[in-house]
Amino acid sequence: MDRRRKILLGTGIVTLVWLMIFAGLIGGVTGFILASKVAPNLPKTFISSSGKTVQVTSEESAVINVAQQASPAVVSIVAKGIDPFSGNLAEQGAGTGFIVDATGVVVTNSHVVDSADAIYTVVTKDKKTYSAKKISRDPINDVAVLRIDGANFPYLSFGDSSAIKVGQSVVAIGNALGKFDNTVTTGVVSGIGRGITATDQLGGNSESLEGLIQTDAAINPGNSGGPLLNLSGEVIGIDTAAASSAQNIGFAVPGNTAKSVLTNYLKNGKIVRPFLGVGTVIISKDTASLNNIPEGALVRTVQTGSAAEKAGLKKNDVITEISGKAINETNSLAKAISSRQVGESIEIKIWRGGEILQLTATLTEAP
């Protein structure tokens, strides 16, 4: 009896030992997996300019890296014109841009360089000043491209803006208030596919923009035209507007849109885009229902000599379809036209005083 108990006891001890070893192995593997997931969030260190060791998290480290790598390619764009009071050349405005090619190709917003009479200069981070040349604008997408003379410029590359996610961290760099160049702000992607009507600071000129990226990264006056970057340092948007009546609601033109405009510029030496020649306002579904008119684009102006005038479009016509596709809040006239080619003929369905008409227009090149 005692022998059997001793044997059983010995067997139990051996089994217990093996169980402890197995449990230890499982615990070690689990700990390694958890540690590998947590490790990226552990503090890292760097030496500050004062020689002190500073701890930062991986996200802070990523932002620092983006700011250090991207800032040299971010430029200030200054507009100068004749002061009507003094008659002297004076600064009229300032914005931001960024270099996208080592030969000096710069991308910015169209509204940053929208005056044909102004003289534009580009100031790099190292305070060198260059004359802006070969400026070409796409006001429909609020993108402009220009050149500066030189070589071996630091430059930024575009990422895929269609792959961004709401909640993703982003970095904005710009000439805040036209005074504080290379100001860095951070935030997240707050929304995608936004549509806004943007006006200048005086409440004058306005433009409707679609498919924008919304972000809570601070976008101040002067930031327009600056890059919105992901944490890999790729441009995913161009900072273009901020909501004046709210906090931390800013918008950026998607990087893929800007990349398409840039490709157009590099191919043709300028931005070539189709042009119909009408000024319109959208009639929403609710407005159409209340006023017993169709949903579409209400024509407010028709440019003399344009494709629209030649086709027979008139003020107060409502454009309801372009080549069989309905014009509405999600498919604006500007969007429908921008997807076409110069010289292409389009079918325009309109409502005019209760009558439905079908017109044909041949798109020309935008001036």
Side-chain angles (χ1 to χ4, degrees):
M1 192 70 174
D2 291 339
R3 176 180 172 81
R4 186 179 178 185
R5 285 180 179 174
K6 289 178 181 178
I7 293 173
L8 289 175
L9 180 60
T11 303
I13 291 172
V14 171
T15 301
L16 180 60
V17 169
W18 279 110
L19 285 174
M20 290 174 67
I21 293 172
F22 181 73
L25 288 172
I26 293 297
V29 172
T30 302
F32 175 79
I33 293 173
L34 290 175
S36 65
K37 291 183 177 180
V38 173
N41 293 319
L42 292 176
K44 298 180 181 180
T45 63
F46 74 96
I47 306 300
S48 70
S49 57
S50 63
K52 294 183 179 180
T53 300
V54 180
Q55 283 193 337
V56 294
T57 65
S58 62
E59 184 171 343
E60 288 175 325
S61 179
V63 170
I64 291 170
N65 288 337
V66 170
Q68 290 178 338
Q69 293 172 13
S71 288
V74 179
V75 299
S76 298
I77 298 177
V78 180
K80 292 184 178 181
I82 300 299
D83 188 322
F85 299 103
S86 66
N88 298 322
L89 195 64
E91 184 174 320
Q92 295 180 330
T96 307
F98 54 97
I99 303 170
V100 294
D101 187 273
T103 61
V105 180
V106 177
V107 172
T108 184
N109 284 141
S110 177
H111 76 263
V112 170
V113 290
D114 61 355
S115 174
D117 299 323
I119 298 172
Y120 292 98
T121 55
V122 174
V123 184
T124 55
K125 187 180 180 182
D126 57 5
K127 305 305 179 184
K128 292 182 180 179
T129 300
Y130 302 84
S131 296
K133 300 180 178 180
K134 297 183 179 179
I135 301 173
S136 193
R137 308 166 181 87
D138 179 359
I140 299 300
N141 292 305
D142 198 18
V143 178
V145 187
L146 56 89
R147 283 186 176 273
I148 55 177
D149 289 335
N152 300 318
F153 290 106
Y155 64 91
L156 299 178
S157 299
F158 284 97
D160 183 5
S161 61
S162 68
I164 64 174
K165 304 294 183 183
V166 174
Q168 176 179 334
S169 296
V170 289
V171 178
I173 306 178
N175 182 17
L177 304 179
K179 298 178 180 179
F180 308 109
D181 60 310
N182 292 88
T183 295
V184 176
T185 58
T186 63
V188 299
V189 173
S190 305
I192 53 178
R194 304 302 200 197
I196 64 169
T197 298
T199 61
D200 59 28
Q201 293 183 49
L202 300 177
N205 297 328
S206 65
E207 57 184 353
S208 295
L209 300 172
E210 302 172 350
L212 302 182
I213 300 167
Q214 181 186 337
T215 178
D216 67 347
I219 298 176
N220 299 293
N223 274 86
S224 290
L228 186 70
L229 305 128
N230 59 23
L231 294 188
S232 296
E234 298 171 322
V235 178
I236 57 169
I238 304 177
D239 303 325
T240 189
S244 59
S245 58
Q247 292 184 345
N248 299 330
I249 298 181
F251 300 94
V253 176
N256 286 4
T257 299
K259 186 162 50 175
S260 176
V261 174
L262 174 63
T263 300
N264 185 325
Y265 178 92
L266 295 175
K267 177 182 177 181
N268 300 295
K270 61 179 180 178
I271 300 170
V272 177
R273 58 187 180 87
F275 185 67
L276 180 59
V278 291
T280 63
V281 292
I282 197 69
I283 298 175
S284 67
K285 189 174 182 179
D286 290 341
T287 301
S289 178
L290 288 171
N291 293 277
N292 197 28
I293 57 176
E295 188 177 2
L298 174 65
V299 177
R300 301 296 297 273
T301 60
V302 179
Q303 185 168 319
T304 303
S306 67
E309 185 186 56
K310 293 176 181 178
L313 278 165
K314 297 180 179 180
K315 184 179 179 179
N316 294 326
D317 287 346
V318 178
I319 300 173
T320 59
E321 290 183 8
I322 293 292
S323 297
K325 293 187 177 181
I327 300 300
N328 48 44
E329 289 179 287
T330 57
N331 184 44
S332 69
L333 179 64
K335 184 178 181 180
I337 297 300
S338 65
S339 65
R340 305 287 172 167
Q341 300 295 321
V342 174
E344 183 177 350
S345 292
I346 58 172
E347 299 298 319
I348 308 173
K349 186 176 181 179
I350 67 168
W351 178 91
R352 179 182 290 167
E355 185 180 3
I356 303 297
L357 301 175
Q358 195 80 28
L359 306 176
T360 300
T362 300
L363 298 174
T364 58
E365 183 180 334

Short mmCIF file of all heavy atoms in Angstrom, two decimals, residues 43-108:
data_model
loop_
_atom_site.label_atom_id
_atom_site.label_comp_id
_atom_site.label_asym_id
_atom_site.label_seq_id
_atom_site.Cartn_x
_atom_site.Cartn_y
_atom_site.Cartn_z
N PRO A 43 7.59 54.30 -24.84
CA PRO A 43 8.33 55.54 -25.10
C PRO A 43 9.66 55.29 -25.79
O PRO A 43 10.33 54.30 -25.54
CB PRO A 43 8.53 56.11 -23.69
CG PRO A 43 7.47 55.48 -22.87
CD PRO A 43 7.29 54.10 -23.42
N LYS A 44 10.02 56.20 -26.70
CA LYS A 44 11.33 56.19 -27.33
C LYS A 44 12.03 57.48 -26.93
O LYS A 44 11.41 58.39 -26.38
CB LYS A 44 11.18 56.09 -28.85
CG LYS A 44 10.49 54.80 -29.29
CD LYS A 44 10.36 54.74 -30.80
CE LYS A 44 9.66 53.45 -31.22
NZ LYS A 44 9.51 53.35 -32.68
N THR A 45 13.29 57.56 -27.19
CA THR A 45 14.03 58.74 -26.76
C THR A 45 14.77 59.38 -27.92
O THR A 45 15.07 58.73 -28.92
CB THR A 45 15.06 58.36 -25.67
OG1 THR A 45 16.00 57.44 -26.23
CG2 THR A 45 14.38 57.74 -24.47
N PHE A 46 15.00 60.68 -27.80
CA PHE A 46 15.87 61.38 -28.72
C PHE A 46 16.55 62.51 -27.96
O PHE A 46 16.11 62.92 -26.89
CB PHE A 46 15.11 61.90 -29.95
CG PHE A 46 14.25 63.10 -29.66
CD1 PHE A 46 14.71 64.39 -29.90
CD2 PHE A 46 12.95 62.95 -29.16
CE1 PHE A 46 13.91 65.49 -29.65
CE2 PHE A 46 12.16 64.05 -28.91
CZ PHE A 46 12.63 65.33 -29.15
N ILE A 47 17.63 63.00 -28.51
CA ILE A 47 18.39 64.07 -27.88
C ILE A 47 17.92 65.41 -28.43
O ILE A 47 17.96 65.63 -29.64
CB ILE A 47 19.90 63.90 -28.12
CG1 ILE A 47 20.36 62.49 -27.68
CG2 ILE A 47 20.69 64.97 -27.38
CD1 ILE A 47 20.11 62.21 -26.21
N SER A 48 17.45 66.31 -27.56
CA SER A 48 16.97 67.61 -27.98
C SER A 48 18.13 68.53 -28.32
O SER A 48 19.29 68.20 -28.09
CB SER A 48 16.12 68.25 -26.87
OG SER A 48 16.94 68.62 -25.79
N SER A 49 17.82 69.70 -28.88
CA SER A 49 18.86 70.66 -29.26
C SER A 49 19.65 71.16 -28.05
O SER A 49 20.77 71.63 -28.19
CB SER A 49 18.23 71.86 -29.99
OG SER A 49 17.25 72.47 -29.16
N SER A 50 19.04 71.05 -26.88
CA SER A 50 19.73 71.48 -25.66
C SER A 50 20.58 70.38 -25.05
O SER A 50 21.22 70.57 -24.02
CB SER A 50 18.71 71.96 -24.62
OG SER A 50 17.85 70.89 -24.23
N GLY A 51 20.55 69.20 -25.70
CA GLY A 51 21.36 68.09 -25.21
C GLY A 51 20.64 67.20 -24.22
O GLY A 51 21.22 66.23 -23.73
N LYS A 52 19.37 67.47 -23.94
CA LYS A 52 18.60 66.66 -23.00
C LYS A 52 17.97 65.47 -23.70
O LYS A 52 17.61 65.55 -24.88
CB LYS A 52 17.52 67.50 -22.33
CG LYS A 52 18.06 68.60 -21.41
CD LYS A 52 16.91 69.34 -20.74
CE LYS A 52 17.43 70.43 -19.80
NZ LYS A 52 16.32 71.15 -19.15
N THR A 53 17.84 64.38 -22.98
CA THR A 53 17.16 63.20 -23.51
C THR A 53 15.66 63.34 -23.28
O THR A 53 15.21 63.55 -22.15
CB THR A 53 17.67 61.92 -22.82
OG1 THR A 53 19.07 61.80 -23.05
CG2 THR A 53 16.96 60.69 -23.37
N VAL A 54 14.89 63.23 -24.36
CA VAL A 54 13.43 63.42 -24.28
C VAL A 54 12.75 62.14 -24.71
O VAL A 54 13.13 61.51 -25.70
CB VAL A 54 12.98 64.58 -25.20
CG1 VAL A 54 11.47 64.77 -25.11
CG2 VAL A 54 13.70 65.86 -24.82
N GLN A 55 11.74 61.72 -23.95
CA GLN A 55 10.98 60.52 -24.29
C GLN A 55 9.75 60.91 -25.10
O GLN A 55 9.05 61.86 -24.78
CB GLN A 55 10.54 59.79 -23.02
CG GLN A 55 11.65 58.99 -22.34
CD GLN A 55 11.09 58.03 -21.31
OE1 GLN A 55 10.00 58.23 -20.80
NE2 GLN A 55 11.84 56.98 -21.02
N VAL A 56 9.48 60.14 -26.16
CA VAL A 56 8.28 60.36 -26.97
C VAL A 56 7.65 59.01 -27.30
O VAL A 56 8.33 57.99 -27.33
CB VAL A 56 8.60 61.09 -28.29
CG1 VAL A 56 9.06 62.50 -28.04
CG2 VAL A 56 9.63 60.32 -29.11
N THR A 57 6.35 58.99 -27.56
CA THR A 57 5.68 57.77 -27.99
C THR A 57 5.95 57.58 -29.47
O THR A 57 6.45 58.48 -30.16
CB THR A 57 4.17 57.86 -27.76
OG1 THR A 57 3.64 58.89 -28.61
CG2 THR A 57 3.85 58.17 -26.31
N SER A 58 5.59 56.42 -30.01
CA SER A 58 5.86 56.14 -31.42
C SER A 58 5.09 57.09 -32.33
O SER A 58 5.59 57.49 -33.37
CB SER A 58 5.49 54.69 -31.75
OG SER A 58 4.11 54.47 -31.53
N GLU A 59 3.86 57.46 -31.95
CA GLU A 59 3.09 58.39 -32.78
C GLU A 59 3.73 59.77 -32.78
O GLU A 59 3.84 60.43 -33.82
CB GLU A 59 1.64 58.49 -32.30
CG GLU A 59 0.80 59.38 -33.20
CD GLU A 59 -0.68 59.34 -32.88
OE1 GLU A 59 -1.11 58.40 -32.18
OE2 GLU A 59 -1.39 60.24 -33.33
N GLU A 60 4.19 60.22 -31.61
CA GLU A 60 4.89 61.50 -31.56
C GLU A 60 6.16 61.45 -32.39
O GLU A 60 6.49 62.40 -33.11
CB GLU A 60 5.24 61.84 -30.10
CG GLU A 60 4.05 62.23 -29.25
CD GLU A 60 4.45 62.43 -27.80
OE1 GLU A 60 5.34 61.70 -27.32
OE2 GLU A 60 3.87 63.31 -27.15
N SER A 61 6.84 60.32 -32.33
CA SER A 61 8.06 60.15 -33.10
C SER A 61 7.76 60.22 -34.59
O SER A 61 8.51 60.83 -35.36
CB SER A 61 8.71 58.81 -32.76
OG SER A 61 9.89 58.61 -33.52
N ALA A 62 6.64 59.61 -35.01
CA ALA A 62 6.25 59.62 -36.42
C ALA A 62 5.95 61.04 -36.88
O ALA A 62 6.34 61.45 -37.97
CB ALA A 62 5.04 58.72 -36.64
N VAL A 63 5.24 61.81 -36.04
CA VAL A 63 4.91 63.19 -36.39
C VAL A 63 6.19 64.02 -36.52
O VAL A 63 6.35 64.82 -37.44
CB VAL A 63 3.98 63.81 -35.32
CG1 VAL A 63 3.82 65.32 -35.55
CG2 VAL A 63 2.62 63.13 -35.36
N ILE A 64 7.11 63.83 -35.58
CA ILE A 64 8.39 64.55 -35.63
C ILE A 64 9.13 64.22 -36.92
O ILE A 64 9.66 65.10 -37.61
CB ILE A 64 9.26 64.20 -34.40
CG1 ILE A 64 8.63 64.78 -33.14
CG2 ILE A 64 10.68 64.73 -34.58
CD1 ILE A 64 9.26 64.30 -31.86
N ASN A 65 9.15 62.93 -37.28
CA ASN A 65 9.83 62.51 -38.51
C ASN A 65 9.19 63.14 -39.74
O ASN A 65 9.88 63.61 -40.65
CB ASN A 65 9.82 60.99 -38.64
CG ASN A 65 10.74 60.31 -37.65
OD1 ASN A 65 11.68 60.92 -37.16
ND2 ASN A 65 10.46 59.05 -37.34
N VAL A 66 7.84 63.13 -39.78
CA VAL A 66 7.14 63.72 -40.92
C VAL A 66 7.46 65.21 -41.04
O VAL A 66 7.74 65.72 -42.12
CB VAL A 66 5.61 63.51 -40.80
CG1 VAL A 66 4.86 64.34 -41.84
CG2 VAL A 66 5.26 62.03 -40.97
N ALA A 67 7.41 65.90 -39.90
CA ALA A 67 7.68 67.35 -39.90
C ALA A 67 9.10 67.64 -40.38
O ALA A 67 9.32 68.55 -41.19
CB ALA A 67 7.46 67.92 -38.50
N GLN A 68 10.07 66.87 -39.90
CA GLN A 68 11.46 67.09 -40.28
C GLN A 68 11.71 66.78 -41.75
O GLN A 68 12.44 67.51 -42.43
CB GLN A 68 12.38 66.24 -39.40
CG GLN A 68 12.45 66.71 -37.95
CD GLN A 68 13.33 65.82 -37.09
OE1 GLN A 68 13.57 64.65 -37.42
NE2 GLN A 68 13.80 66.35 -35.97
N GLN A 69 11.09 65.72 -42.25
CA GLN A 69 11.34 65.30 -43.63
C GLN A 69 10.54 66.13 -44.63
O GLN A 69 11.03 66.43 -45.73
CB GLN A 69 10.99 63.82 -43.78
CG GLN A 69 11.91 62.90 -42.99
CD GLN A 69 11.44 61.46 -42.99
OE1 GLN A 69 10.56 61.08 -43.76
NE2 GLN A 69 12.02 60.65 -42.13
N ALA A 70 9.30 66.53 -44.27
CA ALA A 70 8.44 67.21 -45.23
C ALA A 70 8.64 68.72 -45.27
O ALA A 70 8.50 69.34 -46.33
CB ALA A 70 6.97 66.90 -44.91
N SER A 71 8.97 69.32 -44.15
CA SER A 71 9.05 70.79 -44.08
C SER A 71 9.95 71.44 -45.12
O SER A 71 9.60 72.49 -45.66
CB SER A 71 9.49 71.22 -42.67
OG SER A 71 8.45 71.03 -41.74
N PRO A 72 11.12 70.87 -45.45
CA PRO A 72 11.96 71.52 -46.46
C PRO A 72 11.31 71.66 -47.83
O PRO A 72 11.71 72.52 -48.62
CB PRO A 72 13.19 70.60 -46.52
CG PRO A 72 13.23 69.94 -45.18
CD PRO A 72 11.80 69.73 -44.81
N ALA A 73 10.29 70.83 -48.10
CA ALA A 73 9.61 70.89 -49.40
C ALA A 73 8.37 71.78 -49.37
O ALA A 73 7.74 72.00 -50.41
CB ALA A 73 9.22 69.49 -49.85
N VAL A 74 8.02 72.30 -48.19
CA VAL A 74 6.84 73.17 -48.07
C VAL A 74 7.28 74.62 -48.22
O VAL A 74 8.24 75.06 -47.59
CB VAL A 74 6.15 72.97 -46.71
CG1 VAL A 74 4.94 73.90 -46.57
CG2 VAL A 74 5.70 71.51 -46.56
N VAL A 75 6.57 75.37 -49.07
CA VAL A 75 6.97 76.74 -49.39
C VAL A 75 5.85 77.73 -49.08
O VAL A 75 4.68 77.36 -48.99
CB VAL A 75 7.36 76.87 -50.88
CG1 VAL A 75 8.53 75.96 -51.21
CG2 VAL A 75 6.17 76.57 -51.79
N SER A 76 6.24 78.98 -48.90
CA SER A 76 5.27 80.07 -48.76
C SER A 76 5.12 80.74 -50.13
O SER A 76 6.10 80.91 -50.85
CB SER A 76 5.75 81.10 -47.73
OG SER A 76 5.88 80.51 -46.45
N ILE A 77 3.88 81.10 -50.46
CA ILE A 77 3.62 81.78 -51.73
C ILE A 77 3.06 83.16 -51.41
O ILE A 77 2.02 83.28 -50.74
CB ILE A 77 2.64 80.98 -52.59
CG1 ILE A 77 3.23 79.61 -52.94
CG2 ILE A 77 2.29 81.75 -53.87
CD1 ILE A 77 2.32 78.71 -53.73
N VAL A 78 3.75 84.19 -51.86
CA VAL A 78 3.38 85.57 -51.53
C VAL A 78 2.90 86.28 -52.79
O VAL A 78 3.55 86.22 -53.84
CB VAL A 78 4.59 86.33 -50.93
CG1 VAL A 78 4.21 87.77 -50.60
CG2 VAL A 78 5.10 85.61 -49.68
N ALA A 79 1.75 86.95 -52.66
CA ALA A 79 1.19 87.72 -53.78
C ALA A 79 1.44 89.20 -53.55
O ALA A 79 1.16 89.73 -52.46
CB ALA A 79 -0.30 87.46 -53.89
N LYS A 80 1.97 89.89 -54.56
CA LYS A 80 2.20 91.33 -54.47
C LYS A 80 1.51 92.03 -55.64
O LYS A 80 1.44 91.51 -56.75
CB LYS A 80 3.69 91.64 -54.49
CG LYS A 80 4.43 91.18 -53.23
CD LYS A 80 5.89 91.61 -53.25
CE LYS A 80 6.59 91.18 -51.96
NZ LYS A 80 8.02 91.62 -51.94
N GLY A 81 0.98 93.23 -55.34
CA GLY A 81 0.32 94.01 -56.36
C GLY A 81 0.48 95.48 -56.07
O GLY A 81 1.04 95.88 -55.04
N ILE A 82 -0.03 96.32 -56.95
CA ILE A 82 0.07 97.76 -56.79
C ILE A 82 -0.96 98.25 -55.77
O ILE A 82 -2.15 98.00 -55.91
CB ILE A 82 -0.15 98.49 -58.12
CG1 ILE A 82 0.91 98.03 -59.16
CG2 ILE A 82 -0.09 99.99 -57.93
CD1 ILE A 82 2.32 98.33 -58.75
N ASP A 83 -0.48 98.89 -54.72
CA ASP A 83 -1.36 99.48 -53.71
C ASP A 83 -2.07 100.69 -54.33
O ASP A 83 -1.42 101.64 -54.78
CB ASP A 83 -0.54 99.93 -52.51
CG ASP A 83 -1.40 100.39 -51.34
OD1 ASP A 83 -2.44 101.04 -51.59
OD2 ASP A 83 -1.03 100.11 -50.19
N PRO A 84 -3.42 100.68 -54.38
CA PRO A 84 -4.15 101.77 -55.02
C PRO A 84 -3.97 103.12 -54.31
O PRO A 84 -4.18 104.17 -54.91
CB PRO A 84 -5.60 101.31 -54.96
CG PRO A 84 -5.65 100.33 -53.83
CD PRO A 84 -4.32 99.64 -53.85
N PHE A 85 -3.56 103.09 -53.05
CA PHE A 85 -3.40 104.34 -52.29
C PHE A 85 -2.01 104.94 -52.45
O PHE A 85 -1.85 106.14 -52.66
CB PHE A 85 -3.70 104.10 -50.81
CG PHE A 85 -5.10 103.62 -50.56
CD1 PHE A 85 -5.35 102.28 -50.29
CD2 PHE A 85 -6.18 104.50 -50.61
CE1 PHE A 85 -6.64 101.83 -50.06
CE2 PHE A 85 -7.47 104.05 -50.38
CZ PHE A 85 -7.71 102.71 -50.12
N SER A 86 -0.98 104.05 -52.37
CA SER A 86 0.39 104.56 -52.46
C SER A 86 0.99 104.45 -53.86
O SER A 86 1.93 105.15 -54.20
CB SER A 86 1.29 103.80 -51.48
OG SER A 86 1.42 102.44 -51.88
N GLY A 87 0.42 103.56 -54.65
CA GLY A 87 0.97 103.33 -55.98
C GLY A 87 2.20 102.45 -55.97
O GLY A 87 2.82 102.22 -57.02
N ASN A 88 2.57 101.95 -54.81
CA ASN A 88 3.75 101.10 -54.67
C ASN A 88 3.37 99.62 -54.68
O ASN A 88 2.22 99.25 -54.41
CB ASN A 88 4.50 101.41 -53.37
CG ASN A 88 5.01 102.83 -53.34
OD1 ASN A 88 5.47 103.35 -54.36
ND2 ASN A 88 4.95 103.46 -52.17
N LEU A 89 4.35 98.77 -54.98
CA LEU A 89 4.14 97.33 -54.93
C LEU A 89 4.04 96.88 -53.48
O LEU A 89 4.92 97.18 -52.67
CB LEU A 89 5.31 96.61 -55.62
CG LEU A 89 5.10 95.14 -55.99
CD1 LEU A 89 3.99 95.00 -57.02
CD2 LEU A 89 6.41 94.55 -56.53
N ALA A 90 2.97 96.20 -53.13
CA ALA A 90 2.76 95.80 -51.73
C ALA A 90 2.19 94.39 -51.67
O ALA A 90 1.56 93.90 -52.61
CB ALA A 90 1.80 96.77 -51.04
N GLU A 91 2.46 93.74 -50.53
CA GLU A 91 1.95 92.38 -50.34
C GLU A 91 0.43 92.40 -50.22
O GLU A 91 -0.15 93.17 -49.47
CB GLU A 91 2.56 91.76 -49.09
CG GLU A 91 2.16 90.31 -48.87
CD GLU A 91 2.88 89.65 -47.70
OE1 GLU A 91 4.09 89.91 -47.53
OE2 GLU A 91 2.22 88.90 -46.96
N GLN A 92 -0.23 91.51 -50.98
CA GLN A 92 -1.69 91.45 -50.98
C GLN A 92 -2.22 90.18 -50.33
O GLN A 92 -3.39 90.11 -49.96
CB GLN A 92 -2.20 91.54 -52.42
CG GLN A 92 -1.92 92.88 -53.09
CD GLN A 92 -2.44 92.92 -54.51
OE1 GLN A 92 -2.51 91.89 -55.20
NE2 GLN A 92 -2.80 94.11 -54.97
N GLY A 93 -1.39 89.19 -50.20
CA GLY A 93 -1.84 87.94 -49.60
C GLY A 93 -0.73 86.92 -49.57
O GLY A 93 0.32 87.10 -50.21
N ALA A 94 -0.94 85.87 -48.81
CA ALA A 94 0.06 84.81 -48.69
C ALA A 94 -0.61 83.47 -48.49
O ALA A 94 -1.68 83.38 -47.87
CB ALA A 94 1.02 85.10 -47.54
N GLY A 95 -0.02 82.45 -49.02
CA GLY A 95 -0.53 81.10 -48.87
C GLY A 95 0.62 80.12 -48.81
O GLY A 95 1.76 80.50 -48.54
N THR A 96 0.32 78.87 -49.10
CA THR A 96 1.30 77.81 -48.98
C THR A 96 1.29 76.96 -50.24
O THR A 96 0.32 76.94 -50.99
CB THR A 96 0.98 76.92 -47.76
OG1 THR A 96 0.84 77.75 -46.60
CG2 THR A 96 2.07 75.89 -47.49
N GLY A 97 2.38 76.27 -50.47
CA GLY A 97 2.47 75.31 -51.55
C GLY A 97 3.50 74.26 -51.17
O GLY A 97 4.10 74.33 -50.10
N PHE A 98 3.71 73.28 -52.03
CA PHE A 98 4.74 72.28 -51.75
C PHE A 98 5.34 71.78 -53.05
O PHE A 98 4.66 71.68 -54.08
CB PHE A 98 4.20 71.12 -50.90
CG PHE A 98 2.98 70.44 -51.46
CD1 PHE A 98 3.09 69.27 -52.21
CD2 PHE A 98 1.71 70.95 -51.23
CE1 PHE A 98 1.97 68.63 -52.72
CE2 PHE A 98 0.58 70.33 -51.74
CZ PHE A 98 0.70 69.17 -52.48
N ILE A 99 6.63 71.52 -53.01
CA ILE A 99 7.37 71.08 -54.19
C ILE A 99 7.14 69.58 -54.40
O ILE A 99 7.21 68.79 -53.45
CB ILE A 99 8.87 71.38 -54.02
CG1 ILE A 99 9.08 72.88 -53.75
CG2 ILE A 99 9.65 70.97 -55.27
CD1 ILE A 99 10.51 73.24 -53.34
N VAL A 100 6.87 69.20 -55.66
CA VAL A 100 6.57 67.80 -55.96
C VAL A 100 7.56 67.19 -56.95
O VAL A 100 7.39 66.05 -57.37
CB VAL A 100 5.14 67.65 -56.50
CG1 VAL A 100 4.12 67.99 -55.43
CG2 VAL A 100 4.93 68.51 -57.75
N ASP A 101 8.57 67.97 -57.30
CA ASP A 101 9.58 67.48 -58.24
C ASP A 101 10.88 68.22 -57.99
O ASP A 101 10.87 69.41 -57.70
CB ASP A 101 9.10 67.70 -59.68
CG ASP A 101 10.03 67.08 -60.70
OD1 ASP A 101 11.01 67.75 -61.10
OD2 ASP A 101 9.80 65.92 -61.10
N ALA A 102 11.99 67.53 -58.12
CA ALA A 102 13.29 68.13 -57.83
C ALA A 102 13.63 69.30 -58.75
O ALA A 102 14.49 70.12 -58.43
CB ALA A 102 14.39 67.07 -57.94
N THR A 103 12.91 69.41 -59.89
CA THR A 103 13.18 70.50 -60.84
C THR A 103 12.42 71.78 -60.49
O THR A 103 12.56 72.78 -61.19
CB THR A 103 12.82 70.07 -62.27
OG1 THR A 103 11.42 69.75 -62.33
CG2 THR A 103 13.63 68.86 -62.70
N GLY A 104 11.59 71.74 -59.43
CA GLY A 104 10.91 72.96 -58.99
C GLY A 104 9.46 73.09 -59.38
O GLY A 104 8.96 74.20 -59.55
N VAL A 105 8.74 71.96 -59.50
CA VAL A 105 7.30 71.99 -59.75
C VAL A 105 6.60 72.12 -58.40
O VAL A 105 6.87 71.36 -57.48
CB VAL A 105 6.82 70.72 -60.48
CG1 VAL A 105 5.31 70.78 -60.72
CG2 VAL A 105 7.56 70.55 -61.80
N VAL A 106 5.71 73.11 -58.30
CA VAL A 106 5.03 73.41 -57.03
C VAL A 106 3.52 73.26 -57.21
O VAL A 106 2.95 73.73 -58.20
CB VAL A 106 5.34 74.85 -56.56
CG1 VAL A 106 4.58 75.19 -55.28
CG2 VAL A 106 6.84 75.02 -56.35
N VAL A 107 2.88 72.61 -56.24
CA VAL A 107 1.42 72.45 -56.23
C VAL A 107 0.85 73.31 -55.11
O VAL A 107 1.42 73.39 -54.01
CB VAL A 107 1.02 70.97 -56.03
CG1 VAL A 107 -0.48 70.84 -55.81
CG2 VAL A 107 1.44 70.14 -57.23
N THR A 108 -0.28 73.95 -55.36
CA THR A 108 -0.96 74.77 -54.36
C THR A 108 -2.45 74.80 -54.68
O THR A 108 -2.92 74.05 -55.56
CB THR A 108 -0.36 76.19 -54.32
OG1 THR A 108 -0.98 76.94 -53.27
CG2 THR A 108 -0.57 76.92 -55.63
#
